[in-house]
Amino acid sequence: MHANNEVGSIQPIEEIGRIARERNIPFHTDAVATAGVIPVDVQTLNADFLSMAANAFYGPFGVGALYVRKKAKIDPLLDGGIQEHGFRAGTENVPGIIGMGKAAEIASIEMDAVLRTLCHLETGC
């Protein structure tokens, strides 16, 4: 978990990811509480897999994304068609995908202002 959604503590994911990479261990982090709120960079975090949810940054509920590093191995969730690059069979939720994309775009534009507000409320920012 990149950040705790209850108390807001941010975990040392970059260091954990580095340790996992040094040992050739696939590494996943849950960035639901941080994606769209603070900068999240899979390269910096050393994440092979990273999950996020659109509703965390005012996108549609029930829509999420899983980042998968190009050379990472992952088994399909459901067998079937070639959708989702062979990771999951079924029809893609195109309106949800568009909604998440637009919400991510807006969140990235507003991120600096949100961070200034959060830091104003917190001591030590």
Side-chain angles (χ1 to χ4, degrees), residues 9-101:
S9 56
I10 299 174
Q11 305 305 315
I13 296 300
E14 183 177 342
E15 182 180 352
I16 296 167
R18 181 185 52 75
I19 292 167
R21 174 130 329 132
E22 287 171 355
R23 289 163 176 76
N24 202 29
I25 299 168
F27 179 62
H28 169 265
T29 189
D30 170 342
V32 169
T34 53
V37 180
I38 63 172
V40 173
D41 181 340
V42 293
Q43 303 305 326
T44 302
L45 296 176
N46 297 301
D48 295 304
F49 308 95
L50 182 137
S51 53
M52 63 186 90
N55 64 288
F57 45 93
Y58 306 108
F61 281 84
V63 179
L66 174 66
Y67 163 80
V68 179
R69 187 175 299 280
K70 261 189 179 167
K71 295 182 180 181
K73 302 278 188 217
I74 186 170
D75 291 328
L77 176 63
L78 302 170
D79 289 327
I82 61 169
Q83 302 89 329
E84 309 288 341
H85 302 285
F87 293 136
R88 184 183 189 285
T91 303
E92 295 173 340
N93 178 0
V94 175
I97 293 167
I98 293 169
M100 183 174 187

Side-chain angles (χ1 to χ4, degrees), residues 99-122:
M100 183 174 187
K102 187 62 178 178
E105 178 184 333
I106 293 167
S108 69
I109 292 167
E110 296 180 354
M111 190 175 295
D112 287 340
V114 170
L115 286 173
R116 281 193 302 275
T117 301
L118 291 174
C119 284
H120 177 72
L121 297 174
E122 294 289 324

